[in-house]
Amino acid sequence: MMKTIAQSKTPEGKGMSEGVHLPDKTGHFGCFGGRFVPETIMPALDQLEKAYLEAKEDPSFHAELEYYLREYVGRPSTLYYAERLTKKLGGAKIYLKREDLNHTGAHKINNTIGQVLLALRMGKKRIIAETGAGQHGVATATAAAMFGIECEVYMGEEDIRRQALNVFRMKLLGAKVIPVTSGSRTLKDATNEALRDWMSSVRNTHYIIGSVVGPHPYPMMVRDFQLVIGKEVRKQILEKEQRLPDYLIACVGGGSNSMGLFHPFLEDKEVKMIGVEAGGLGTEIGQHASTLTSGKIGILHGSASYVLQDEDGQTLPVHSISAGLDYPGVGPEHSYLRDIGRAEYVSITDDEAVNAFQECARLEGIIPALEAAHAIAYTMKFAPKISKDKIIVVCLSGSGDKDSFEVAEKLGYKI
Amino acid sequence: MNRIDRKFQELQARKKPAFIPFITAGDPDLQTTKDLILEFEKRGADIIELGIPFSDPIADGPVIQASYYRALMRGTKVAHVLDMVSEVRRRSEIPIVSMVSYSTVFKKGYQVFIENALVAGLDGLTIPDLPVEENHDLFEMAKKNDFKIVCFIAPTTTDHRMAIIAENAQGFLYYISVVGITGVRDALPEDIVQNIRKLKQMTKIPVAVGFGVSTSDHAKMIGTVADGVIVGSAIMREIEKHAKDPAEKLIRYVGEFVGQMISGAKG
Ligand SMILES: Cc1ncc(COP(=O)(O)O)c(C=O)c1O
C-alpha cells in the first residue's frame, strides 16, 4: 500500500502514449485540467500542491495513510465473484470490487482520510467539503471526527431532502451541514458555495473536494488517493484468475471511483475500460447528467473538461435519480481518456439503474448504491453479449442503504 | 489610445481617483442597464464595469449572484449584452470593461470573444477565473489590439505571483480588498493601505480597489490611497430594492446613490 501513491510517479517519457504520467507540471491532461479560479485561492492551490508533492515523497505519510486505510477503513476491500449474477446473465464472468464494505459504505473515505492527513500536515484548523449523495460529506465528517478537526459540509437543499439519512449521520459525526439554496440546489451549487467559503477562509481552512474534479492539484491528488482500488483489484484478480480482467466497468459522477479503478491498468492495452454516466429520464436537456457522452469541452469549477453548458457557457440543468451522479461536469482526466480513446463512456437511465439495484439485491444479497447500480445496469446489458471466458470487474462504489428511501418512493412503497 | 488609459491620464493630471461602478447587464433588463450606464456617466462615473451574467460565479456573494440569476432568467445572452454596448457607444465614450467568466470566454473561443467585444466597443475585460498562466495567447492578442485585460491581486497573493501579474496587467490592476467574495460589508480590512502601497511600488499602472466597498466613507478612504474605487454589490442592492419601481424612478434612485458614492470617492 505504501507504494500506492509513490508508484504513480515514474520517470517522464515512459508510457506517455496513454498519459499515465499526466498531469503535466501545470496540471493539464492534454487540453484538459488546469486552474481556472479566482486569484484569492491561487496561492492556496500552490501551497496544497507543494504539500501534497512533499507528502507523496515522504514514507511516513504513506505509512500513516496505510495504517488508517487498513485499521480504520478496513482495506483491502474484497473482490467478490458474483456467481448468480454471472449465471443469470450467461456471459462474461463478473467480479464486484466491494467498496461498499469500507467504513462509511463507499469509496469516498479513501480520499478523505488522505486529505485530512494532508490538512493536518499543512496546519489547517478547519475542513470544508461539498456533498451530493452525502457519501463524501459523511466520509469527510468521519475522518474529521476521527482526527478531531472542525468540519462543515455544504449540501444542496434538494439533496438534503433526497439523502436525509446521510444528513443525520453527518450531524451525529459532529459536522455542521450547511444547506445551499442557490441554483439547482444540488451538487454543482454545493461546490460553488464551498469554493466561496474557501475564498474567505483559505488561510486556515482546507477544502476537501470529493472527486477527481476542480483545479489542479485536486484531480491528480484525489485520483492518487483512489488508486488503491485499482491496485488491489490488480493483485486480487491475478491471485484468483492468474490474469488481468478484460473489462473494467464503473460509474462516473465526478469520476473518482472509476479513475481509481482504471488508472493502474492504463498501460495494459488488453484491459478495456467503460465509464457509466447517468442517463436520467432521457436525452433532453435537463433530463440527464451524461457529461462525457453528450457534453462539450468547457470550464467548470476550476478545470477544463467535458461539461454540460449552453452556447454562452452557462451550466445546464442536470438530472439523475442518483444524487452522486447528478453533476454537469466530470474530471479532466476522464475527458482526456475519452479523447484518446483509452476509455469508453456510456449512459444508463434512472429506470435501468433502479432495476439493477433490485436485481443485485435479489441475486447477490448486496444492495448497491444507486450510483454503483448504474455500473451494474450496464454490466447487465453488456455481459450477455460477450463470451464466458471473459472477465469483467465492476466497481461497486458504495452501499445502497442510503438510497432505500428514494428507491422505495420510486417503487411506490411507504416506509 | 484605449479609453481606459486616456481616462486614467486625465484623472492623474487632476489628481482624482477613478470611480468605477459595477452593474450586471440585464438586471432588471438591458434597456435599464443602458440607461444606468448613461446616468452614471452624467453623475461623474469614470469607467463602467459591466458584469456579464454567469450561472456559477464563485467569486461573487449573494447580491451579485442574485442579480446574475435574475438577468439569466430574463434570457440575457452575451450577444444581447454586446448589442447593448454598441448602443451605448452611439452616445457615449465612457470606458467600459466587462467582467466575464472564463467559462463564457472559452465557450465562444477567446479570439471570437475579443473580436466581438472590440466591435461592440468594449475597452477591456476582467476575467476573475482566468489566471495569467492559463492563457498567454489571450493576453497577447489583447495587447496587440490595445484591449485591456484587467488582472486581480488579492491580499493572499504572494510577492512572486504579484510580480507575474503586475507584468501582464493592462489598463489597471484590480486589488481585491478582502479575502473573500463580493458583498456589502460594514468595515474594510486594515491591511488595504499597506498592500496597495506595496503594489504601487511594483507597477506603474493604476490600481483600483473593489470587493466590499459599500459606503461613501469607504469610497473616500479608498480614494485617498488608490487610483480607482470600484463599487458593485452596494449598487446592485439598490437596483434590487427598486426593481419593482418604474424604470425612470429606479434610474433616479440608483443614480443618486452612485452620485453620493462619487462625492465620497472624489472627496
Ligand atoms: C457510492 C458512490 N458512488 C459513486 C459516486 C460518484 O462519484 P465518483 O464518480 O467521483 O466516484 C458517489 C458520489 O457521491 C457515491 O456516493
Side-chain angles (χ1 to χ4, degrees), chain A residues 86-99:
Chain A
T86 300
K87 295 235 163 83
K88 165 98 192 274
L89 298 175
K93 200 167 176 184
I94 300 163
Y95 282 90
L96 302 176
K97 178 59 172 166
R98 299 288 307 277
E99 291 297 302

Side-chain angles (χ1 to χ4, degrees), chain A residues 252-274:
Chain A
V252 180
S256 67
N257 84 87
S258 48
M259 191 55 72
L261 175 65
F262 294 175
H263 200 272
F265 295 94
L266 283 184
E267 285 182 306
D268 304 298
K269 299 239 158 47
E270 69 276 24
V271 181
K272 299 197 174 56
M273 301 163 184
I274 304 169

Side-chain angles (χ1 to χ4, degrees), chain A residues 106-108 133 135 211 251-257 324-325 369 371 397-398 402:
Chain A
H107 67 294
K108 298 282 177 184
Q135 286 306 103
S211 192
C251 68
V252 180
S256 67
N257 84 87
L325 303 183
E371 292 80 12
S397 56
K402 68 179 174 67

Side-chain angles (χ1 to χ4, degrees), chain B residues 100 102 105-106 109-111 113-114 125 127 130-132 134-145 147-151 168 170:
Chain B
V100 57
Y102 193 58
V105 176
F106 182 91
Y110 76 91
Q111 292 103 329
F113 194 95
I114 292 179
L125 300 175
I127 316 176
L130 178 67
V132 177
E134 285 291 353
N135 192 342
H136 288 289
D137 297 345
L138 181 151
F139 281 84
E140 281 310 308
M141 175 178 175
K143 246 178 235 163
K144 272 194 203 116
N145 289 283
F147 185 71
K148 308 296 180 185
I149 306 297
V150 173
C151 296
N168 283 277
Q170 300 156 37

